[in-house]
């Protein structure tokens, strides 16, 4: 079957572009594909169960069972990492290891590297599953794993890259098909994103600090965060779409030329769009505008890919009614189109002013996650398993049931969150006719949407039920067939250095993989350089504020506890320059206030109020009681209790190392201050304990709650509206 309506290329047939001569026999390794598929399904269920637990906690806070390891702030990163890297990642590798050898007419370069990649990736996932509930986190969204795991990720990713590049070099097909282009871009760009964003200064095996601070850290983080979505959740799945959708439909890809435009414009434009996550923040305006402009331009290549996928089904739409695989693919590609249209709209400042920090963003993300990634994976599994086991799918009826249950799950998940997002923003911004906030108590905006959180959890449950239906169906399918561990194929050897007179410029680079990789690297590296270098080198981008001082050792310890508990998953530290926010929280946030924040903690979602000006707003006793039982201070709160903070001691002995690390990162602690760090912390802690004693609360100065209070009371107090001194 031809994948392109183009004479030089075909996929799994013996009509190919390799060369002449005798046929060479070889085998495709289905064993590693099977292993990645099983891992994807298992970790997918785990990730969904964790997500369902987190969703339940937002309307039933006691669902954390009163233990630190299952609070929302700790399991939310576990959920995102499990879904992105364990479920989607393993499924991506399964799809690549199945499609790439068949597209290149060559087995994977090294069976040993296959299994090093597989077992290395699973060990990374297990390490993440153990470390995140323990609170071992960097506090950077989608990059929470600590430095030893980051190094392991980089090494295993290189193993994957070597295996992929080696396979491309020893291929028997002269030209690389479009799916392979996307696999190459994925490898190159994810490596670049991960290494740059994960640069950290370790102080122990389980603790490190980002080398970037404040505004610079925010820019790097969302350059990574946005493009992790682009190059881990999008480009590889576009490659999989270009292979599995034509195969399932038995139709060639609609347009070869459109795929060229789609590919190069997408990877070039995507990398610039990260700043749209930071609109109305302390990021320089020029960077915000740059992110918006490139985000709007992304509509064209994104929809080019969507249309190329859907139009591939021309002449085969009658089969969509009967074939569950095509049903999954059609909804997946449609969800991709919806998400990539909505994303640029959300990057417009007037829309972002409404959507940011609300559940609208959460709904947007899950249209892509549940619809695009999830349904592409389900369709791919339903297509691969019968072929690898040489049988037919056990029950088409069950597969169709899974499709409809999953689709209902997506609707019940996303629609309540859109509603919740609109409700939140309207309530936050509403004023009375007298000019006061209509809902001055943030909690009023939370209790209003609790029923919508319950509906969201029901949608997640439906989606999970559909997944279990698939698992049963695939197990029965495999049971009635016979697994082909090594699948035989044959093709002539590639005749190199042969030039076809009529081939175009792109056909030339399609047969030169090293040149192709270099060009792809150039395309993705330009945007980051243009955005980063001025932000780092031009001082006016981050004006210095004289009154901003480094954190005390106790405040630094409290900040680390704040990060450990995942407070940034529910609270922002970024007051935007809107009247509704300055009336509610205080003076808007300035770039110079964050120069000592390693990492930044601006957050991306407000389930609770912004905390940037919380310092001095409440007495120490309020914070103590609030952490012990939020309901006593804020009736109706959905925040969990944190009793362990009142009983666990903070690690005093690590304070000198933390101060020393911060000085290496540019924080102006005086030489030798690390020797005074413990005494300094004890002195400040005693002051807080005395304040609590005055409120009839007995506390010990060595407890974690004391350090956390110190940090909370410091936040936003370095700057006063009338006292700002800018150098």
């Amino acid at each position: 079957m031809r994948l392109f309506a183009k004479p030089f290329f075909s996929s799994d047939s013996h009509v190919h572009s390799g060369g002449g001569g005798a046929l060479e026999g070889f085998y495709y390794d289905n064993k590693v594909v099977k292993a990645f598929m099983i891992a994807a399904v298992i970790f997918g269920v785990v990730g969904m169960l964790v997500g369902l637990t987190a969703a339940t906690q937002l309307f039933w806070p006691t669902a954390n069972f009163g233990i630190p390891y299952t609070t929302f702030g700790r399991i939310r990163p576990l959920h995102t990492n499990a879904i992105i890297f364990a479920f989607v990642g393993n499924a991506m590798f399964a799809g690549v290891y199945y499609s790439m050898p068949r597209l290149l007419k060559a087995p994977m370069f090294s069976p040993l590297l296959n299994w090093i990649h597989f077992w290395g990736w699973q060990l990374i996932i297990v390490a993440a599953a153990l470390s995140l509930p323990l609170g071992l986190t960097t506090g950077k969204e989608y990059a929470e794993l600590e430095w030893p795991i980051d190094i392991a990720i980089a090494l295993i990713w290189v193993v994957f890259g070597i295996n992929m590049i080696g396979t491309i070099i020893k291929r028997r097909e002269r030209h690389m098909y479009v799916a392979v282009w996307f696999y190459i871009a994925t490898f190159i760009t994810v490596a670049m994103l991960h290494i740059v964003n994960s640069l950290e200064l370790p102080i122990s095996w389980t603790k490190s600090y980002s080398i970037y601070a404040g505004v610079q850290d925010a820019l790097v983080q969302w350059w990574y965060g946005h493009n992790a979505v682009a190059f881990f959740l999008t480009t590889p799945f576009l490659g999989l779409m270009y292979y599995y959708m034509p195969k399932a439909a038995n139709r060639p890809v609609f347009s070869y030329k459109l795929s060229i435009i789609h590919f190069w414009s997408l990877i070039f434009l995507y990398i610039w769009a990260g700043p749209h996550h930071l609109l109305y923040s302390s990021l320089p305006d020029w960077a915000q505008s740059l992110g918006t402009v490139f985000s709007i331009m992304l509509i064209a290549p994104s929809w080019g890919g969507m249309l190329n996928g859907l139009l591939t089904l021309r002449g085969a739409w009658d089969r969509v009614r009967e074939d569950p695989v095509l049903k999954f693919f059609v909804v997946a590609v449609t969800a991709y189109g919806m998400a990539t249209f909505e994303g640029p709209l959300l990057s417009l400042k007037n829309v972002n002013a409404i959507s940011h920090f609300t559940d609208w963003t959460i709904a947007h993300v899950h249209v892509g996650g549940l619809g695009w990634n999830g349904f592409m994976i389900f369709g791919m599994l339903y297509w691969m398993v019968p072929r690898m086991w040489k049988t037919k799918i056990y029950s088409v009826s069950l597969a169709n049931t899974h499709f409809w249950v999953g689709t209902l799950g997506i609707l019940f998940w996303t629609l309540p969150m859109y509603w919740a997002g609109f409700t939140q923003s309207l309530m936050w911004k509403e004023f009375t006719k007298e000019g006061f906030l209509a809902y001055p108590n943030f909690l009023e905006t939370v209790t209003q949407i609790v029923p919508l959180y319950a509906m969201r959890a029901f949608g997640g449950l439906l989606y999970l039920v559909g997944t279990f239906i698939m698992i049963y169906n695939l197990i029965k399918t495999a049971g009635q067939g016979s697994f082909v561990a090594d699948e035989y194929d044959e093709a002539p050897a590639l005749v190199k250095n042969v030039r076809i007179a009529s081939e175009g410029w792109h056909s030339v680079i399609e047969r030169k993989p090293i040149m192709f990789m270099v060009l792809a690297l150039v395309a993705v590296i330009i945007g980051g350089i243009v955005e980063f270098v001025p932000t780092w080198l031009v001082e006016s981008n981050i004006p210095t504020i004289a009154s901003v001082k480094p954190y005390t050792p106790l405040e630094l310890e409290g900040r680390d506890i704040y990060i450990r508990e995942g407070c940034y998953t529910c609270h922002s530290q970024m007051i935007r320059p809107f009247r509704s926010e300055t009336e509610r929280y205080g003076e808007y946030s300035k770039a110079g206030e964050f120069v000592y924040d390693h990492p930044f903690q601006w957050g991306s979602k407000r389930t609770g109020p912004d905390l940037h000006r919380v310092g001095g707003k409440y007495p120490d006793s309020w914070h103590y009681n609030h952490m012990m039982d939020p309901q006593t201070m804020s009736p109706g709160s959905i925040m969990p209790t944190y009793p362990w903070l009142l009983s666990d001691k903070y690690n005093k002995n690590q304070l000198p190392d933390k101060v020393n690390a911060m000085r290496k990162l540019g924080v102006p602690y005086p030489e030798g201050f690390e020797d005074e760090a413990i005494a300094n912390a004890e002195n400040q802690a005693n002051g807080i304990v005395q304040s609590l004693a005055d409120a009839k609360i007995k506390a010990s100065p060595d407890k974690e709650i004391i350090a956390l209070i110190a940090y909370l009371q410091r936040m936003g107090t370095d700057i006063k509206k009338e006292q700002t001194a800018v150098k």
Side-chain angles (χ1 to χ4, degrees):
M1 185 209 84
R2 290 183 181 276
L3 289 188
F4 269 146
K6 188 170 167 49
F8 74 81
F9 185 85
S10 68
S11 168
D12 294 354
S13 67
H14 293 297
V15 181
H16 61 89
S17 62
L23 294 177
E24 297 178 345
F26 51 90
Y27 290 89
Y28 301 125
D29 181 6
N30 285 337
K31 299 184 293 297
V32 73
V33 178
K34 175 185 175 183
F36 274 117
M37 286 197 306
I38 292 172
V41 171
I42 292 173
F43 286 124
V45 169
V46 171
M48 292 177 205
L49 284 170
V50 174
L52 183 58
T53 303
T56 302
Q57 290 177 358
L58 289 179
F59 64 88
W60 185 25
T62 54
N64 73 332
F65 312 114
I67 55 177
Y69 314 112
T70 54
T71 55
F72 182 88
R74 296 201 192 186
I75 67 171
R76 190 263 188 177
L78 178 62
H79 164 64
T80 55
N81 278 268
I83 292 298
I84 295 172
F85 301 110
F87 174 50
V88 176
N90 275 313
M92 173 187 76
F93 295 135
V96 170
Y97 276 109
Y98 183 92
S99 62
M100 179 176 283
R102 288 161 174 81
L103 288 169
L104 300 174
K105 290 297 178 185
M108 291 302 296
F109 175 66
S110 168
L112 176 62
L113 292 183
N114 288 352
W115 292 105
I116 292 175
H117 178 198
F118 173 78
W119 287 112
W121 196 255
Q122 309 320 309
L123 288 174
I124 288 167
I125 293 167
V126 171
L130 294 174
S131 62
L132 290 173
L134 291 172
L136 304 178
T137 173
T138 63
K140 301 180 72 168
E141 289 190 69
Y142 313 123
E144 292 92 350
L145 303 179
E146 273 292 355
W147 68 272
I149 306 177
D150 283 339
I151 292 175
I153 292 171
L155 293 175
I156 295 301
W157 193 255
V158 169
V159 167
F160 169 55
I162 292 172
N163 210 9
M164 179 174 68
I165 294 166
T167 306
I168 293 171
I169 290 174
K170 71 170 191 175
R171 71 194 185 282
R172 291 179 177 83
E173 285 283 353
R174 176 176 291 108
H175 295 277
M176 296 184 296
Y177 175 61
V178 58
V180 181
W181 311 347
F182 281 100
Y183 300 159
I184 290 171
T186 297
F187 165 67
I188 290 172
T189 313
V190 169
M192 175 184 73
L193 294 169
H194 174 70
I195 292 170
V196 173
N197 189 55
S198 299
L199 294 176
E200 298 147 349
L201 179 62
I203 64 167
S204 71
W205 285 100
T206 58
K207 182 62 184 176
S208 63
Y209 292 113
S210 172
I211 69 167
Y212 316 106
V215 171
Q216 295 166 344
D217 191 38
L219 180 60
V220 173
Q221 163 60 24
W222 283 113
W223 169 78
Y224 163 86
H226 176 80
N227 290 301
V229 172
F231 289 91
F232 201 90
L233 302 179
T234 303
T235 56
F237 278 79
L238 287 168
L240 298 174
M241 178 198 78
Y242 273 116
Y243 180 80
Y244 291 98
M245 181 173 271
K247 297 292 286 183
N250 199 29
R251 301 290 301 170
V253 169
F254 172 69
S255 172
Y256 169 68
K257 290 182 179 179
L258 182 56
S259 69
I260 296 172
I261 298 170
H262 168 216
F263 173 76
W264 289 106
S265 58
L266 188 81
I267 69 170
F268 174 74
L269 294 175
Y270 233 130
I271 211 79
W272 297 73
H276 78 222
H277 291 264
L278 300 169
L279 299 183
Y280 290 111
S281 72
S282 298
L283 190 73
D285 284 342
W286 66 264
Q288 296 182 38
S289 299
L290 204 60
T292 297
V293 169
F294 278 88
S295 297
I296 297 301
M297 288 194 288
L298 266 174
I299 293 178
S302 297
W303 273 50
M306 177 197 69
L307 293 173
N308 215 9
L310 291 179
L311 291 174
T312 295
L313 296 176
R314 70 203 185 287
W317 282 100
D318 58 311
R319 293 181 50 212
V320 176
R321 291 194 302 268
E322 310 296 334
D323 189 344
V325 172
L326 290 179
K327 282 190 179 74
F328 278 108
F329 285 159
V330 167
V331 172
V333 175
T334 303
Y336 170 69
M338 292 168 61
T340 53
F341 179 73
E342 184 184 26
L345 289 184
L346 293 176
S347 72
L348 294 170
K349 276 198 165 186
N350 55 347
V351 179
N352 191 271
I354 300 170
S355 69
H356 197 51
F357 292 133
T358 75
D359 285 302
W360 184 349
T361 305
I362 309 303
H364 163 66
V365 169
H366 283 78
V367 166
L370 298 173
W372 165 235
N373 295 116
F375 271 33
M376 274 298 298
I377 291 169
F378 298 149
M380 192 171 68
L381 293 176
Y382 279 124
W383 189 87
M384 283 197 297
V385 169
R387 283 157 181 80
M388 291 170 60
W389 271 263
K390 297 301 179 185
T391 185
K392 292 184 177 180
I393 191 167
Y394 171 71
S395 172
V396 173
S397 176
L398 279 178
N400 281 317
T401 301
H402 173 202
F403 170 79
W404 289 112
V405 171
T407 301
L408 283 174
I410 295 173
L411 294 175
F412 272 101
W413 206 109
T414 56
L415 292 180
M417 288 301 94
Y418 281 119
W419 192 344
F422 303 151
T423 302
Q424 286 168 314
S425 188
L426 291 172
M427 293 181 74
W428 293 348
K429 294 177 178 296
E430 186 173 349
F431 284 85
T432 65
K433 61 183 180 181
E434 290 82 14
F436 298 104
L437 286 170
Y439 303 99
N441 184 353
F442 187 91
L443 191 55
E444 294 178 273
T445 71
V446 177
T447 56
Q448 189 72 25
I449 60 176
V450 167
L452 299 174
Y453 285 156
M455 290 179 66
R456 184 256 301 270
F458 175 68
L461 179 61
L462 284 177
Y463 198 85
L464 181 60
V465 168
T467 304
F468 280 119
I469 292 173
M470 179 195 71
I471 292 171
Y472 172 79
N473 204 0
L474 293 183
I475 289 174
K476 297 293 285 186
T477 299
Q480 71 184 14
S482 177
F483 178 64
V484 180
D486 298 289
E487 186 175 335
Y488 180 77
D489 199 359
E490 53 188 21
L494 175 65
V495 179
K496 298 183 179 180
N497 301 319
V498 174
R499 187 75 187 270
I500 300 174
S502 61
E503 67 180 350
W505 66 271
H506 202 269
S507 296
V508 173
I509 62 174
E510 284 172 28
R511 56 185 175 83
K512 296 180 180 293
I514 303 303
M515 177 190 294
F516 193 99
M517 284 185 275
V518 171
L519 291 174
L521 176 61
V522 171
V524 299
I525 206 171
I526 293 172
I529 292 174
V530 172
E531 290 176 346
F532 292 167
V533 173
T535 308
W536 292 337
L537 299 183
V538 180
E539 187 175 346
S540 61
N541 281 310
I542 307 173
T544 303
I545 301 175
S547 59
V548 175
K549 305 298 182 186
Y551 294 109
T552 67
L554 188 65
E555 292 161 0
L556 185 60
E557 179 67 22
R559 191 171 198 272
D560 287 342
I561 293 169
Y562 179 98
I563 292 170
R564 184 193 71 192
E565 298 301 336
C567 300
Y568 62 91
T569 62
C570 289
H571 295 279
S572 60
Q573 291 186 27
M574 175 52 59
I575 303 171
R576 297 175 294 177
F578 302 150
R579 180 175 170 234
S580 59
E581 298 207 2
T582 56
E583 288 287 328
R584 187 183 300 277
Y585 304 118
E587 176 69 2
Y588 69 89
S589 303
K590 312 292 195 303
E593 294 184 81
F594 305 102
V595 292
Y596 304 132
D597 286 7
H598 297 267
F600 84 112
Q601 288 288 281
W602 296 357
S604 59
K605 170 70 169 67
R606 285 179 185 158
T607 306
D610 187 276
L611 299 180
H612 191 214
R613 302 285 181 223
V614 76
K617 185 175 182 180
Y618 305 106
D620 294 342
S621 58
W622 188 94
H623 289 294
Y624 186 95
N625 290 321
H626 188 245
M627 300 306 295
M628 181 171 62
D629 185 0
Q631 294 274 354
T632 61
M633 309 309 295
S634 304
S637 171
I638 60 173
M639 178 176 161
T641 60
Y642 291 86
W644 53 90
L645 297 179
L646 280 61
S647 58
D648 292 353
K649 296 180 179 180
Y650 69 87
N651 188 353
K652 292 182 183 179
N653 296 328
Q654 207 171 48
L655 290 178
D657 293 334
K658 292 183 176 183
V659 169
N660 191 45
M662 286 293 173
R663 186 193 296 110
K664 290 179 180 178
L665 293 173
V667 179
Y669 290 116
E671 286 294 333
F673 182 67
E674 60 269 26
D675 299 330
E676 307 169 18
I678 295 176
N680 185 290
E682 290 174 342
N683 184 54
Q684 187 176 5
N686 288 331
I688 296 172
V689 169
Q690 182 58 52
S691 171
L692 294 173
D694 294 341
K696 306 293 191 277
I697 297 174
K698 185 178 180 180
S700 174
D702 58 355
K703 303 304 182 187
E704 290 183 337
I705 185 64
I706 304 301
L708 181 59
I709 290 173
Y711 174 59
L712 293 173
Q713 294 290 40
R714 170 66 185 277
M715 288 168 60
T717 59
D718 283 336
I719 180 172
K720 302 297 181 184
K721 187 172 183 179
E722 69 279 5
Q723 296 176 346
T724 304
V726 181
K727 290 183 180 178

